Amino acid sequence: CYGIYKRMERDFNRDLHVNFNGAANQSRAWNNLSPHLSRNQLMDMWGRDMPLYMTAHFGFSGDTQAKVDITGGRGSKHIFTVDDCYFYKSDPEKTYLRIGEVRVKEGHRGEKLGKLFLRNTVAVCDAMGIKEIQLRAGREDGPFFWARHGFVLEAPFVRRNFDEDMKDMLEKYRDRMRPESVAAVEQALEEDSDRINWVIADLPDVIDGKPVGALLMAHTEYRATLRLDDPDHRARLVEALERADIDASMIETPPWNRGRQAAHGTEARP
């Protein structure tokens, strides 16, 4: 069964086409993964403020896994893609989200598409009760971007590989960096923290017009995790979005804390 969901944005026209295939009983499969959020509601949230024509293709593997591939463009030109976005259940009570790769075509990377998609993805996860987003931080600017937005290195073996890459890159750029920045990287390497990528991404140095953190991480690739129940992760993401003048109020407070705030007579900052 195929369905098409269309809606109009206030400030521009945009169609969202949602294609479904896979498991015989697709509604049952999706309801098992997301009992409180329909596929159309999912795409409505994912498409919020995205100034693109967006297409999503859903496929299912049994009742425990859904794969979504998303393409965004203008006219016949593809600008934005999300590959291998998996919702899956490893136990009856928890749904997880793993994203293969997010790509923005060169020439459109200043349009905040990745930032908007990330904000919307967190809103989706909050609605579905998902507390962790995993993804592959690809090469070039990917590792720097995800580190700036709160993602950390996923596992110890990932950190070991990352540390080796950083040692090599530090030697390459050491003579062009501030001594205090070199010292900060060396200390982070000694501490073996999953947040070492935050330290590198926050370095103030600029070399040839590019942040040194982006240069240091340009030739590495790592599995990254954003833990939505960790206040530090969420706060770092919100700060990065607000620096880009993106409204992050919808994700500032996790849904499991909103009732607690209301009970104490406090609310999230508007």
Side-chain angles (χ1 to χ4, degrees), residues 148 177 180-182 184-185 198-205 211-213 216:
R148 293 281 285 176
M177 293 170 59
E180 56 268 31
S181 294
V182 172
V185 176
W198 291 11
V199 174
I200 294 171
D202 292 345
L203 294 172
D205 310 53
V212 71
L216 292 174

Side-chain angles (χ1 to χ4, degrees), residues 147-164:
R148 293 281 285 176
H149 290 79
F151 283 79
V152 298
L153 305 179
E154 187 175 88
F157 76 89
V158 174
R159 294 202 294 273
R160 285 195 296 271
N161 293 337
F162 182 87
D163 287 358
E164 291 304 313

Side-chain angles (χ1 to χ4, degrees), residues 89-185:
K89 274 196 170 184
S90 61
D91 64 65
E93 301 300 323
K94 292 183 179 179
T95 300
Y96 297 86
L97 174 61
R98 180 178 285 273
I99 298 173
E101 191 168 7
V102 179
R103 297 196 301 271
V104 180
K105 192 170 183 177
E106 192 171 353
H108 297 274
R109 293 177 183 171
E111 299 180 19
K112 306 178 185 179
L113 300 176
K115 297 175 186 290
L116 287 166
F117 179 78
L118 177 55
R119 180 202 64 182
N120 295 347
T121 297
V122 172
V124 164
C125 290
D126 286 347
M128 294 178 64
I130 296 172
K131 297 184 179 180
E132 188 171 290
I133 301 172
Q134 303 165 339
L135 56 78
R136 182 173 72 249
R139 296 178 184 272
E140 297 182 0
D141 292 335
F144 179 72
F145 176 88
W146 299 114
R148 293 281 285 176
H149 290 79
F151 283 79
V152 298
L153 305 179
E154 187 175 88
F157 76 89
V158 174
R159 294 202 294 273
R160 285 195 296 271
N161 293 337
F162 182 87
D163 287 358
E164 291 304 313
D165 288 340
M166 290 307 99
K167 289 175 184 177
D168 292 340
M169 296 304 291
L170 182 60
E171 289 308 307
K172 179 178 180 179
Y173 289 105
R174 176 186 294 271
D175 292 341
R176 302 180 68 185
M177 293 170 59
R178 303 177 188 182
E180 56 268 31
S181 294
V182 172
V185 176

Side-chain angles (χ1 to χ4, degrees), residues 211-225:
V212 71
L215 293 172
L216 292 174
M217 291 191 280
H219 299 288
T220 190
E221 185 174 353
Y222 60 88
R223 300 298 313 188
T225 299

